[in-house]
């Protein structure tokens, strides 16, 4: 899904987005700038569908969040990488007036508001949202009257809209992790189960649960048959007994669905990926994120003559053609190969 993925806002609304995507922890002295930049990036993603502007705003927010001191003028901000004339002007406007004309206009724009709202439904992307708004649907309740316009994923997203908007506390994911391990290891003790995403980065709460599963006998080299096209399906069948409540989609390697600990808890989005063991560490690295961290690390890998993705690390020859995948035995090794100082998952929240 890479590439288009950044265009798929599933359950994340503007508010949760600004909390999620900018690491505005206690030490971010530019959190108010970050918030408006993230809101502008959401607008570019969902409404104008301008991925370049989306990335530019996201990057600027990341740079400001990581900056050690409060920015006092647009000119000062402009000295930082990723902040140009336009964003520096917005910082000045915000410092002088306490708001942004552009955002005020966006807030007044009913169409933009409706598109942003509908993209918060899991499975509804910017294109679908625009289509729905064009057909006159501008609210969640309105959407509930038009299930015929939605696919299975979108219907599930709508059914659990309120629950999926709720952040998942770390303690609840720990409980889900215990249960997942118990059920999956009960099938075969050789399985390894890792919850990645913001949870692995140590966040106090997460938007969804990203699970990776492998086992030593699960090898790329052995081809699809032996890998067992039914392995993921049998795992999910077991999980349905006490954790999984709905299936959004399931293939040989990827399950998307819904889970719930018990009736006292909200329904939660759960993704499970079955990964061949040779690719496990690259996958864990990739799905731990953050996505901004991934981009930075990938760019660094390229500078060092390697291409890095969710499957493998490979050297790039002078001709630009990637070579054979390098055998990887740990996440640390990936950092070592590309000469990148190792960062704990907790240090990847950029
Ligand atoms: P959250 O769920 O708490 O909101 O945050 P998250 O865990 O960081 O985000 P996510 O949207 O669940 O994505 C999980 C990680 O996957 C993310 O941290 C970075 C990585 N990732 C990319 N690109 C892509 C992609 O194209 N598809 C998917 N599914 N994940 C991606 O960097
Ligand atoms: Ca996640
Ligand atoms: Ca996810």
């Amino acid at each position: 899904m890479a590439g288009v993925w950044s265009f798929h806002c599933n359950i994340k609304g503007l508010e949760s987005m600004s909390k999620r995507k900018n690491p505005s922890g206690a030490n971010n002295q530019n959190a108010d700038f970050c918030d408006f930049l993230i809101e502008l990036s959401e607008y570019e993603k969902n409404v104008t569908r301008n991925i370049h502007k989306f990335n530019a705003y996201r990057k600027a927010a990341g740079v400001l969040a990581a900056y050690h001191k409060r920015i006092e003028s647009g000119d000062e901000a402009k000295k930082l990488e990723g902040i140009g004339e336009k964003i520096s002007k917005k910082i000045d406007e915000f410092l002088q007036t306490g708001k942004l004309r552009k955002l005020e206009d966006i807030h007044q724009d009913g169409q933009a508001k409706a598109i942003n709202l509908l993209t918060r439904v899991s499975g509804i992307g910017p294109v679908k949202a625009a289509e729905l708004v064009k057909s006159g649907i501008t609210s969640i309740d309105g959407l509930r009257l038009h299930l015929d316009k939605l696919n299975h994923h979108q219907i599930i997203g709508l059914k659990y809209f309120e629950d999926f908007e709720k952040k998942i506390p770390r303690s609840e994911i720990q409980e889900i992790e215990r249960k997942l391990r118990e059920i999956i290891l009960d099938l075969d003790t050789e399985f390894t189960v890792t919850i990645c995403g913001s949870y692995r980065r140590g966040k106090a709460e997460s938007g969804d649960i990203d699970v990776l599963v492998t086992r030593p006998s699960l090898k790329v080299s052995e081809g699809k048959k032996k890998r067992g096209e039914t392995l993921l399906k049998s795992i999910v069948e077991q999980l349905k007994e006490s954790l999984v409540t709905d299936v959004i989609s399931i293939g040989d390697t990827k399950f998307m669905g819904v889970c719930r600990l018990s009736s006292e808890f909200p329904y939660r989005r759960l993704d499970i990926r079955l990964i061949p063991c040779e690719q496990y560490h690259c996958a864990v690295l990739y799905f731990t994120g953050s996505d901004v961290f991934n981009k930075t690390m990938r760019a660094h890998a390229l500078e060092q003559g390697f291409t890095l993705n969710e499957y493998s690390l490979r050297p790039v020859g002078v001709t630009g053609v990637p070579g054979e995948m390098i055998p990887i035995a740990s996440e640390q090794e990936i950092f070592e190969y590309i000469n990148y100082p190792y960062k704990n998952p907790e240090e990847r929240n950029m």
Side-chain angles (χ1 to χ4, degrees):
M1 271 207 294
V4 276
W5 170 78
S6 37
F7 261 66
H8 274 269
C9 183
N10 23 10
I11 54 179
K12 294 129 192 169
L14 284 186
E15 258 181 315
S16 61
M17 192 76 187
S18 62
K19 282 185 202 113
R20 180 177 93 106
K21 286 300 180 192
N22 89 63
S24 50
N27 48 12
N28 178 2
Q29 298 179 59
N30 297 299
D32 49 352
F33 302 137
C34 294
D35 283 347
F36 81 63
L37 290 170
I38 294 292
E39 201 182 337
L40 287 169
S41 81
E42 286 298 285
Y43 172 76
E44 299 297 349
K45 178 177 73 179
N46 297 329
V47 183
T48 63
R49 284 179 249 151
N50 185 328
I51 193 167
H52 299 295
K53 288 191 180 178
F54 166 74
N55 282 328
Y57 283 129
R58 283 283 308 279
K59 181 165 185 200
V63 167
L64 288 181
Y67 197 55
H68 63 279
K69 69 177 276 290
R70 174 76 181 165
I71 288 287
E72 276 157 40
S73 71
D75 274 343
E76 184 188 356
K78 221 162 87 180
K79 299 201 181 87
L80 304 176
E81 199 202 315
I83 298 184
E85 182 68 24
K86 284 198 196 116
I87 291 177
S88 112
K89 281 216 169 103
K90 289 198 169 56
I91 289 174
D92 277 331
E93 184 189 341
F94 189 79
L95 280 170
Q96 280 153 24
T97 67
K99 53 186 190 182
L100 280 189
R101 190 63 189 276
K102 186 171 163 114
L103 270 185
E104 303 280 298
D105 291 349
I106 292 169
H107 293 159
Q108 295 302 311
D109 179 345
Q111 292 252 0
K113 247 161 79 176
I115 292 173
N116 261 323
L117 172 66
L118 297 185
T119 58
R120 281 158 57 185
V121 176
S122 182
I124 297 187
V127 175
K128 179 70 186 181
E131 194 185 298
L132 290 166
V133 170
K134 211 171 156 202
S135 78
I137 299 168
T138 57
S139 69
I140 298 298
D141 284 339
L143 193 55
R144 290 200 157 112
L145 302 172
H146 292 277
L147 297 186
D148 56 300
K149 291 191 160 63
L150 303 181
N151 66 28
H152 177 63
H153 184 169
Q154 294 156 348
I155 289 171
I156 301 264
L158 185 59
K159 179 174 168 195
Y160 299 122
F161 178 76
E162 287 78 14
D163 275 2
F164 287 175
E165 291 257 297
K166 295 177 188 146
K167 288 285 191 167
I168 317 171
R170 194 168 180 79
S171 58
E172 188 180 330
I173 303 189
Q174 282 165 338
E175 194 55 42
I176 291 170
E177 184 175 32
R178 257 193 294 278
K179 215 159 167 178
L180 273 172
R181 280 230 170 86
E182 187 182 295
I183 298 166
I184 296 174
L185 294 187
D186 203 42
L187 286 169
D188 179 349
T189 55
E190 296 273 285
F191 276 123
T192 300
V193 179
T194 312
I195 301 190
C196 298
S198 50
Y199 173 74
R200 189 158 181 265
R201 300 199 309 274
K203 290 281 183 170
E205 34 178 46
S206 298
D208 65 359
I209 304 164
D210 306 293
V211 184
L212 300 190
V213 177
T214 190
R215 69 175 177 191
S217 62
L218 198 70
K219 293 209 162 70
V220 194
S221 44
E222 292 189 25
K224 237 182 169 174
K225 261 270 142 49
K226 187 109 188 250
R227 270 195 344 249
E229 294 176 349
T230 55
L231 190 54
L232 184 58
K233 288 183 178 102
S234 47
I235 291 175
V236 170
E237 275 315 304
Q238 283 306 309
L239 294 173
K240 275 188 189 165
E241 307 239 317
S242 58
L243 198 61
V244 165
T245 60
D246 298 77
V247 176
I248 290 171
S249 63
I250 181 160
D252 298 339
T253 60
K254 186 178 170 199
F255 160 80
M256 292 173 74
V258 185
C259 72
R260 185 168 77 151
L261 267 180
S262 76
S263 57
E264 277 108 79
F265 290 89
Y267 290 92
R268 307 300 197 182
R269 274 281 294 110
L270 171 72
D271 288 342
I272 304 176
R273 289 179 172 80
L274 199 57
I275 313 278
C277 62
E278 302 99 314
Q279 299 174 347
Y280 200 63
H281 301 289
C282 285
V284 167
L285 175 70
Y286 180 83
F287 287 105
T288 296
S290 69
D291 53 352
V292 175
F293 172 80
N294 287 352
K295 268 187 205 146
T296 312
M297 186 158 169
R298 225 166 24 231
H300 183 90
L302 273 180
E303 283 167 18
Q304 298 284 311
F306 293 92
T307 167
L308 174 66
N309 59 27
E310 65 179 286
Y311 310 106
S312 66
L313 176 68
R314 291 178 295 162
V316 188
V318 273
T319 53
V321 184
E324 288 293 302
M325 70 182 264
I326 299 169
I328 300 287
S330 70
E331 230 183 3
Q332 276 93 333
E333 266 189 32
I334 305 170
F335 288 81
E336 281 164 23
Y337 269 108
I338 67 165
N339 259 311
Y340 198 60
Y342 181 72
K343 286 196 165 51
N344 292 316
E346 294 81 8
E347 299 169 298
R348 301 179 202 164
N349 284 305
M350 48 193 299

